[in-house]
Amino acid sequence: MAGVGGAFGGSRSLQPVPPEKGVFPLDHFGECKEVMREYMECLKQHGNQSDKCRDIAKKYLQCRMDRNLMAPQNLSELGFDSASSGGKVASDQQSADAAAAAGADGSSTSTMNRREAKGFIAGVNPR
């Protein structure tokens, strides 16, 4: 006999929350696959340092927007400086982080580089 929580024991009163950006359809037809592969190869060549591949990331996002695989959005709202063609990040926070990471000896090792040196990988659950 099923209890109050349902057949599988879970509460049925919780409703799922949609993602903040809405639907992000998969690229079933491979319309942006070549740019995605170019980005993945760039990450591989640069030891997963995404800042070295920002221009390709920008190109990939633009490809998705052009093909209605994501909602059109100003690239500056996605962290890209619209004035530069190199895809520099438009972020005062990043500048502040770099200044805070500079040691007393004037070195400019960023917080992220220190975390990566300890084995941190973005998007990977440490458990």
Side-chain angles (χ1 to χ4, degrees):
M1 178 171 180
V4 176
F8 298 103
S11 173
R12 301 292 180 209
S13 64
L14 297 176
Q15 295 296 318
V17 178
E20 184 178 324
K21 293 283 184 183
V23 177
F24 198 92
L26 297 176
D27 187 5
H28 291 288
F29 301 110
E31 297 175 74
C32 298
K33 188 175 246 178
E34 189 59 39
V35 183
M36 182 268 305
R37 285 185 177 152
E38 184 181 349
Y39 179 71
M40 297 304 290
E41 185 61 34
C42 180
L43 286 176
K44 190 176 186 181
Q45 290 174 357
H46 293 99
N48 290 323
Q49 294 180 10
S50 62
D51 58 323
K52 307 268 187 194
C53 306
R54 289 201 177 277
D55 54 335
I56 303 170
K58 185 176 180 178
K59 189 164 76 169
Y60 176 69
L61 291 172
Q62 190 62 58
C63 177
R64 289 190 61 87
M65 286 187 272
D66 291 346
R67 289 158 180 81
N68 292 322
L69 294 170
M70 66 182 282
Q73 191 170 0
N74 188 334
L75 287 171
S76 65
E77 294 173 8
L78 297 173
F80 295 97
D81 184 2
S82 59
S84 73
S85 60
K88 287 189 172 183
V89 173
S91 170
D92 294 332
Q93 182 62 40
Q94 186 179 27
S95 299
D97 289 345
D105 62 351
S107 67
S108 62
T109 304
S110 73
T111 304
M112 185 54 79
N113 288 341
R114 287 193 308 254
R115 290 171 60 194
E116 288 173 349
K118 293 179 182 177
F120 173 79
I121 300 173
V124 176
N125 190 345
R127 293 182 194 182

